[in-house]
């Protein structure tokens, strides 16, 4: 069965009805008057109904014509909307959204976040700015990244700070290590070990110094390991113990590759936040990214320890 109605027929009926006759409809459709009359007769012949009747030298819609006009207006409007959307999508420029995590090179949480983000923002490419991990807030202010995940305090009024979740410092050791049997690791016990750390922010270093000074213990000698996976591998091999955020090593702990123990009896809590420039929020889905990162997940949010007041 051949198709009776075509897009040109819908435009024809709409033009004749809105222009009041075939003469002005012809000018609107860039056709001759005879071509308009011929197409109308052809359409009525296909459908087997009369769409217009002549009353006092004017064409008026019949009930069948009025019904077809309503349908034509609706379908042509939908078609125009689809065409605009497709043209916009075809011309849309992909935006590059750069992120960094303070100190750590841990991105086990990223795949589910990207998967959810892509559903609403398929035109955004998220890239990791590994070189910005040491000073992500400074990189943010320089415009080198769009969002930083940090645990150090942020007080710059040009930045939006979105709380994510509470975490704590933890000491990681091999499962066979004597400290693995301890409920927590003291400052003195940590000082006896070869310590592996990241390049911690100044605020974290000062906090650790204050804690060690309060215990009247010597500052442990530490080796900085820039990559989180490398640090975990060194601990697994028995080449030292690590002092890291629990969230950063959550997958390795869950797999039983290393054991995480609280540092000091009361623990050292920290709070992770997502930070971004307020003037970048119009271009990038920064608040949405923070919301997805905040969402509960066995790999994203760390186990809830007994919390003290966050710093």
């Amino acid at each position: 069965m051949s198709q009776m109605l075509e897009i040109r027929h819908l435009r024809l009926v709409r033009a004749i009805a809105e222009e009041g006759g075939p003469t002005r409809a012809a000018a609107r459709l860039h056709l001759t008057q005879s071509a308009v009359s011929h197409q109308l007769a052809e359409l009525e012949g296909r459908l087997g109904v009369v769409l217009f009747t002549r009353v006092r030298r004017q064409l008026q819609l019949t009930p069948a014509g009025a019904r077809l006009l309503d349908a034509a207006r609706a379908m042509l409007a939908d078609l125009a909307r689809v065409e605009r959307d497709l043209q916009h999508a075809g011309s849309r420029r992909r935006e590059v959204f750069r992120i960094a995590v303070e100190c750590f090179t841990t991105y086990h949480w990223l795949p589910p976040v990207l998967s959810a983000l892509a559903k609403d923002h398929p035109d955004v490419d998220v890239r990791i700015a590994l070189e910005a991990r040491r000073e992500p807030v400074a990189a943010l202010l320089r415009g080198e990244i769009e969002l930083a995940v940090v645990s150090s305090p942020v007080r710059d009024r040009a930045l939006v700070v979105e709380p994510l979740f509470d975490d704590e410092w933890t000491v990681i050791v091999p499962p066979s290590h004597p400290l693995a049997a301890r409920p927590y690791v003291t400052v003195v016990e940590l000082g006896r070990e070869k310590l592996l750390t990241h390049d911690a922010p100044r605020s974290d270093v000062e906090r650790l110094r204050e804690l060690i000074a309060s215990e009247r213990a010597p500052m442990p000698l530490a080796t900085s390991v820039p990559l989180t996976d490398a640090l975990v591998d060194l601990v697994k091999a028995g080449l030292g113990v690590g002092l890291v955020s629990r969230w950063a090593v959550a997958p390795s702990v869950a797999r039983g590759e290393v054991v995480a123990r609280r540092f000091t009896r009361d623990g050292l809590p920290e709070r992770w936040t997502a930070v971004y420039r307020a003037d970048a929020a119009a271009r990038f889905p920064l608040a949405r990214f923070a919301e997805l990162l905040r969402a509960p997940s066995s790999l994203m949010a760390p186990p809830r320890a007994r919390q003290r007041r966050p710093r």
Side-chain angles (χ1 to χ4, degrees):
M1 181 177 178
S2 60
Q3 181 178 343
M4 293 185 180
L5 283 173
E6 301 174 18
I7 293 176
R8 64 186 179 93
H9 294 140
L10 301 178
R11 289 174 174 154
L12 176 75
V13 171
R14 184 181 65 177
I16 294 173
E18 293 178 353
E19 297 297 338
T23 302
R24 284 189 289 183
R28 175 171 169 176
L29 297 172
H30 304 287
L31 299 171
T32 64
Q33 181 177 343
S34 61
V36 170
S37 299
H38 176 76
Q39 288 187 18
L40 177 60
E42 177 197 14
L43 176 59
E44 291 179 329
R46 285 191 183 192
L47 297 175
V49 295
V50 176
L51 301 175
F52 293 90
T53 59
R54 186 170 293 279
V55 178
R56 296 178 183 177
R57 298 183 180 181
Q58 291 185 343
L59 290 183
Q60 292 186 356
L61 287 163
T62 65
R67 182 178 180 185
L68 181 57
L69 176 61
D70 289 341
R73 284 171 171 164
M75 285 188 281
L76 290 173
D78 286 343
L79 181 61
R81 190 178 303 111
V82 170
E83 288 175 344
R84 287 195 303 269
D85 290 345
L86 291 177
Q87 288 174 351
H88 180 65
S91 62
R92 183 180 295 164
R93 183 171 61 90
R94 296 190 67 83
E95 295 282 5
V96 177
F97 174 11
R98 299 160 297 181
I99 64 171
V101 177
E102 187 174 48
C103 298
F104 299 105
T105 58
T106 177
Y107 297 95
H108 53 80
W109 47 270
L110 190 57
V113 170
L114 291 186
S115 178
L117 191 71
K119 294 178 182 178
D120 298 327
H121 302 278
D123 55 318
V124 173
D125 284 333
V126 178
R127 297 182 184 175
I128 298 169
L130 192 61
E131 67 282 359
R133 65 182 177 80
R134 293 190 179 188
E135 296 182 336
V137 174
L140 196 61
L141 292 170
R142 290 193 299 265
E144 296 172 358
I145 60 175
E146 280 67 53
L147 183 141
V149 180
V150 304
S151 61
S152 56
V154 177
R155 299 183 179 89
D156 195 302
R157 293 185 178 181
L159 301 177
V160 177
V161 180
E162 298 266 7
L164 294 177
F165 49 78
D166 293 333
D167 195 5
E168 68 174 343
W169 291 12
T170 186
V171 178
I172 59 170
V173 298
S176 59
H177 196 284
L179 291 177
R182 302 273 295 149
Y184 61 89
V185 177
T186 67
V187 173
V188 174
E189 289 171 330
L190 186 68
R192 300 183 186 132
E193 304 291 334
K194 181 179 180 180
L195 184 60
L196 305 174
T197 66
H198 287 293
D199 292 326
R202 182 180 303 173
S203 59
D204 283 354
V205 174
E206 291 175 352
R207 190 179 182 205
L208 182 60
R209 289 184 183 279
E210 291 175 1
L211 176 64
I212 291 174
S214 68
E215 297 287 335
R216 296 183 179 179
M219 187 73 177
L221 295 177
T223 299
S224 177
V225 182
L227 302 177
T228 302
D229 287 345
L231 189 151
V232 172
D233 285 341
L234 291 173
V235 171
K236 285 164 54 179
L239 298 177
V241 304
L243 181 60
V244 296
S245 296
R246 182 182 291 272
W247 173 62
V249 294
S252 298
V253 174
R255 291 190 295 264
E257 298 171 351
V258 293
V259 174
R261 289 293 175 258
R262 174 173 289 177
F263 182 42
T264 76
R265 181 192 296 271
D266 294 329
L268 286 182
E270 63 182 345
R271 172 164 293 178
W272 287 97
T273 60
V275 186
Y276 54 88
R277 290 168 56 123
D279 57 5
R283 288 181 55 209
F284 300 98
L286 303 175
R288 176 59 175 158
F289 190 91
E291 178 186 358
L292 292 170
L293 183 54
R294 191 186 301 118
S297 167
S298 60
L299 290 182
M300 281 195 283
R304 294 288 177 173
R306 182 161 59 97
Q307 298 295 329
R308 298 173 65 189
R309 180 179 299 176
R311 58 188 172 101

